[in-house]
Amino acid sequence: MIIKKREPYPSIQNYFLEREDNLTEYSVTYSFFEGATPCRHLILDSIIAQKVAAYSLIQKDLISAYNGIKHLVELQTKSIQNGLAVTENESTQFIVQKSLHQAAVITYGKCFADASGGKIKSKNKPRGVKLDRNIIKDFSLSQRQAHDYLIQTRNDYVAHGGATNLEQSLCFVVVSPNNKIISNVLTMEAHTATASIELLKTILELISNIQKSLKVMQNKKSEVITRVELPKFTDEEIKINSVGFLKLFNLS
């Protein structure tokens, strides 16, 4: 089954972008059109071009993390307005909130984690760059603390087991009123679904500011490509090396 959708491309007048989803082979292709006439596409594979492309993946992750946290704020706000509290660990509301929280934490942390291949050294690596903590060095203290919370939560709670206040457990026995041990060895454990609504709102501000800073980084590298690399292509090279469509992935 194939689904096609064509829409005007905002930054280029009278040009359209068509997306084709192939649900049989799990692939997505993109094509540009000038009016009804198909265009060709010159794929840029220099190191700096790969970094620009990799930054777009990080932007995608930041959008995903932002949307997850935003939905979490909406759920918490609704619960507060209705006078409800998420206390039961296996309730649907608890599971939904915990899942949104953990997904956002993992996705945000991914933006700052080392890629499996490290820095980009060869072509055809989808990622290979990461954000550095310096990107938030001029942010407010509360936003820097929110970043540390997200990274620590990823490292010590979601992805690995460590020392954190987000989960706790105790080993104990029950003692009778006359000071006799009356039970076997027991355990009690608890874990939280999410952070406070105040912290979540600060995280939204943090992610929004990172997106703005990352966009500036992307634009600077794109300008270098436009100024330095594109003028080197001859008309013949463009004709030979351009392709009819962009196929991003095939998971079959």
Side-chain angles (χ1 to χ4, degrees):
M1 182 179 179
I2 295 178
I3 300 175
K4 288 186 178 182
K5 184 177 182 181
R6 185 181 299 184
E7 295 180 329
Y9 197 71
S11 60
I12 314 178
Q13 188 176 4
N14 199 36
Y15 278 77
F16 298 83
L17 176 62
E18 180 178 280
R19 171 176 173 141
E20 177 182 301
D21 290 81
N22 189 318
L23 304 183
T24 302
E25 64 174 25
Y26 301 101
S27 66
V28 179
T29 59
Y30 290 91
S31 303
F32 276 85
F33 290 80
E34 182 184 10
T37 305
C39 298
R40 294 182 64 78
H41 313 80
L42 181 63
I43 297 175
L44 308 175
D45 59 0
S46 65
I47 296 298
I48 191 170
Q50 289 185 69
K51 287 185 177 180
V52 172
Y55 283 149
S56 70
L57 289 177
I58 294 178
Q59 284 281 21
K60 198 88 169 173
D61 283 341
L62 290 172
I63 291 171
S64 178
Y66 184 95
N67 289 337
I69 295 296
K70 181 181 178 182
H71 192 54
L72 196 50
V73 169
E74 293 170 354
L75 288 176
Q76 284 204 24
T77 301
K78 187 176 180 180
S79 296
I80 293 171
Q81 291 173 345
N82 294 334
L84 301 175
V86 182
T87 56
E88 187 178 344
N89 284 2
E90 298 306 320
S91 69
T92 299
Q93 191 175 10
F94 182 93
I95 293 172
V96 169
Q97 291 197 23
K98 182 179 179 181
S99 298
L100 285 170
H101 178 254
Q102 291 192 352
V105 166
I106 291 172
T107 306
Y108 179 89
K110 177 183 172 186
C111 300
F112 292 85
D114 285 314
S116 58
K119 294 183 179 180
I120 291 178
K121 298 177 182 178
S122 61
K123 298 177 180 179
N124 303 320
K125 285 189 178 180
R127 206 175 284 236
V129 298
K130 66 170 185 173
L131 297 182
D132 188 271
R133 196 182 188 283
N134 284 334
I135 198 171
I136 68 166
K137 64 182 177 65
D138 295 324
F139 292 5
S140 68
L141 175 61
S142 62
Q143 290 179 28
R144 298 197 306 272
Q145 290 174 335
H147 167 84
D148 293 339
Y149 162 82
L150 289 167
I151 298 302
Q152 182 181 3
T153 301
R154 174 199 177 273
N155 293 340
D156 292 341
Y157 177 52
V158 179
H160 310 283
T164 171
N165 291 329
L166 296 175
E167 60 179 354
Q168 297 179 2
S169 61
L170 295 172
C171 178
F172 65 98
V173 293
V174 178
V175 178
S176 70
N178 59 351
N179 298 319
K180 300 294 184 181
I181 296 174
I182 60 172
S183 73
N184 297 323
V185 175
L186 303 174
T187 60
M188 191 72 68
E189 62 285 328
H191 54 105
T192 184
T194 179
S196 68
I197 194 168
E198 292 79 13
L199 177 54
L200 293 177
K201 289 180 178 179
T202 302
I203 290 172
L204 290 178
E205 297 171 358
L206 165 70
I207 295 176
S208 180
N209 285 335
I210 291 176
Q211 287 177 293
K212 294 175 184 176
S213 298
L214 181 56
K215 190 63 179 177
V216 171
M217 293 165 59
Q218 283 181 289
N219 288 342
K220 287 181 178 179
K221 292 188 181 299
S222 295
E223 289 169 3
V224 173
I225 294 173
T226 301
R227 187 178 69 254
V228 178
E229 296 190 358
L230 295 186
K232 296 179 181 179
F233 287 103
T234 66
D235 291 345
E236 186 64 20
E237 287 175 326
I238 294 174
K239 180 179 179 180
I240 293 173
N241 295 314
S242 58
V243 297
F245 59 86
L246 305 171
K247 191 167 186 175
L248 291 185
F249 56 80
N250 185 344
L251 301 180
S252 60

